[in-house]
Amino acid sequence: MAIGVALIGGGIWAKEEHLPAILASKDLELKAIYSRSIKSAKDVAEEVTEKIDLYSEDTSQGYEDILKRDDIQALIVSLPIANQVPFIRSALSAGKHVLSEKPAAENVADAVDLIKWYHEKKTVNKNVTWGVAENFRYLESFKYARQQIEKLGKIIGFRVRVYSNIKEDWKFFQTSWRKNPTHQGGFLLDGGVHYTAGLRGLLGPDVHFTRLAAFTTLLKEHLPPVDTMDAILKTNTGIQGTFQTSGATTLTGPEWTIACEKGTVTVAKSEVTVRPLDGEEVTKTITDERTGVPPEIRAWGEALAAGKQNPEQTPEEALADLELIELMLRSGEQEGQPQICQHQTTGQY
């Protein structure tokens, strides 16, 4: 029997990514859509052929009414970064499973508080699960690259370079909460947690970050508070590497490169290049399933159907992604002052 799901959010990502992924999942059945306005809820539901219920704050049926429904067991929360926490908390309190969009919260302190509350209240809240969506963990290109890294021996270095030139007419920029961000870092946080998740996945479970230092700046006035960040990170194994990202540059990217004792592996969009020291360089195109959201939603549904928590979607994983970006921003504010990582291993929250 499929799990009844409500989609919470009326934005671009909810409509273009979450909605079709829910409809395609064998374990999930869409029951309702909620948005702040009935207009945006209808917009998301425009291409849904099955009968579903719409909820909004400008009608008589709002978010709290969804939480009262016994036929809805789970929610996907796809709201602006600064708005998500109260929706997550109230859904879990109502005994609903939650998959919320990244990051885990607007900042590390809020994320830690919510994670602690989640574990403390788990029994009271009917042992429902809270997962945080991070589609980079479901990109086949990164999975394949990780397999190749494991063949090349000890990791000895890394570099990440993710560059773009965000224009004011870009559809994601046109959303009000991104155009006038109240969350730290603006696009550097919004996109940056994807990039740190990708790096952490490539390095694997035995390598984690311990310290970092960064410089930040604002190159374009329409991308406050800062749009460019360059960091050096050190790991528990003693190696170091660089993480560079900007939404306001003509530099080109993206690129994740991991250096190993026996060669290097680079991920650049869907292309993975392996350069072994004792062999020929090989580049393969690895087809990703859209943005990684369809397999992400499938995995969540499969875990719910099995009565388990998906280990790739724990809030602790998302906290580790978030912490790296926040510490880079703090270091940048302090002219490169080194920062100590505290939430990079399992159970550190």
Side-chain angles (χ1 to χ4, degrees):
M1 184 176 175
I3 296 159
V5 173
L7 176 57
I8 310 302
I12 296 169
W13 203 247
K15 180 178 182 178
E16 295 185 359
E17 298 293 343
H18 287 141
L19 178 66
I22 295 169
L23 296 175
S25 172
K26 63 179 175 58
D27 294 302
L28 305 176
E29 181 181 355
L30 183 64
K31 297 283 188 178
I33 294 174
Y34 164 88
S35 186
R36 186 173 56 179
S37 72
I38 192 64
K39 179 179 181 298
S40 58
K42 287 180 178 178
D43 181 58
V44 175
E46 189 175 24
E47 296 182 13
V48 179
T49 56
E50 298 84 359
K51 183 185 182 304
I52 59 169
D53 299 312
L54 303 182
Y55 294 77
S56 67
E57 295 308 314
D58 55 3
T59 64
S60 60
Q61 294 286 296
Y63 178 67
E64 293 300 322
D65 295 292
I66 288 179
L67 301 183
K68 296 173 184 176
R69 288 181 55 168
D70 292 334
D71 63 334
I72 293 176
Q73 294 88 37
L75 276 62
I76 292 180
V77 179
S78 184
L79 296 170
I81 290 172
N83 299 354
Q84 294 210 128
V85 168
F87 283 83
I88 296 167
R89 191 184 288 263
S90 59
L92 292 171
S93 296
K96 310 296 184 186
H97 299 283
V98 172
L99 181 69
S100 61
E101 255 305 323
K102 56 75 197 168
E106 187 176 4
N107 55 65
V108 167
D110 287 351
V112 169
D113 285 346
L114 187 56
I115 291 170
K116 286 182 177 178
W117 174 86
Y118 164 61
H119 287 295
E120 288 168 359
K121 299 292 185 180
K122 215 165 187 182
T123 303
V124 175
N125 294 337
K126 304 178 183 178
N127 287 317
V128 290
T129 59
W130 170 33
V132 181
E134 176 43 71
N135 48 297
F136 267 49
R137 297 196 226 284
Y138 295 87
L139 294 175
E140 292 300 322
S141 52
F142 277 80
K143 291 182 179 181
Y144 175 77
R146 174 60 194 160
Q147 293 169 359
Q148 304 313 302
I149 290 165
E150 290 174 346
K151 299 174 183 178
L152 294 176
K154 182 181 176 182
I155 294 173
I156 58 173
F158 57 88
R159 69 171 178 240
V160 176
R161 297 186 289 200
V162 185
Y163 298 124
S164 61
N165 193 358
I166 297 172
K167 304 292 179 60
E168 293 185 67
D169 59 356
W170 187 38
K171 66 179 180 180
F172 284 107
F173 180 79
Q174 291 304 310
T175 53
S176 60
W177 65 274
R178 287 189 175 99
K179 187 180 291 188
N180 301 293
T182 59
H183 58 275
Q184 61 177 335
F187 276 97
L188 291 185
L189 174 66
D190 192 15
V193 289
H194 288 313
Y195 314 148
T196 54
L199 174 59
R200 291 180 59 245
L202 291 174
L203 292 176
D206 296 329
V207 180
H208 63 265
F209 299 105
T210 57
R211 303 182 72 200
L212 63 82
F215 288 100
T216 57
T217 191
L218 179 67
L219 296 177
K220 292 190 174 181
E221 291 184 1
H222 69 275
L223 297 172
V226 288
D227 55 27
T228 300
M229 184 157 61
D230 296 272
I232 298 174
L233 301 92
K234 199 165 185 69
T235 74
N236 62 310
T237 60
I239 65 167
Q240 62 194 44
T242 59
F243 181 99
Q244 299 174 283
T245 184
S246 176
T249 184
T250 53
L251 290 168
T252 56
E255 173 209 337
W256 286 257
T257 294
I258 307 299
C260 305
E261 288 179 320
K262 299 177 184 177
T264 66
V265 178
T266 296
V267 184
K269 294 184 179 177
S270 59
E271 290 192 342
V272 178
T273 301
V274 181
R275 303 179 182 88
L277 293 179
D278 58 355
E280 292 185 7
E281 176 180 313
V282 176
T283 297
K284 282 191 177 183
T285 298
I286 306 298
T287 302
D288 292 315
E289 190 176 347
R290 286 183 59 80
T291 58
V293 171
E296 169 187 79
I297 300 299
R298 278 201 306 274
W300 180 62
E302 289 167 0
L304 291 184
K308 295 188 284 189
Q309 166 91 62
N310 186 306
E312 294 182 318
Q313 296 173 348
T314 64
E316 288 84 357
E317 284 289 338
L319 172 62
D321 302 333
L322 167 64
E323 182 190 39
L324 294 177
I325 297 299
E326 181 168 301
L327 292 182
M328 292 179 207
L329 293 170
R330 296 293 86 77
S331 180
E333 291 169 358
Q334 299 170 36
E335 293 298 317
Q337 183 71 30
Q339 307 289 309
I340 305 298
C341 302
Q342 300 181 52
H343 305 287
Q344 293 300 303
T345 60
T346 303
Q348 286 189 335
Y349 62 86

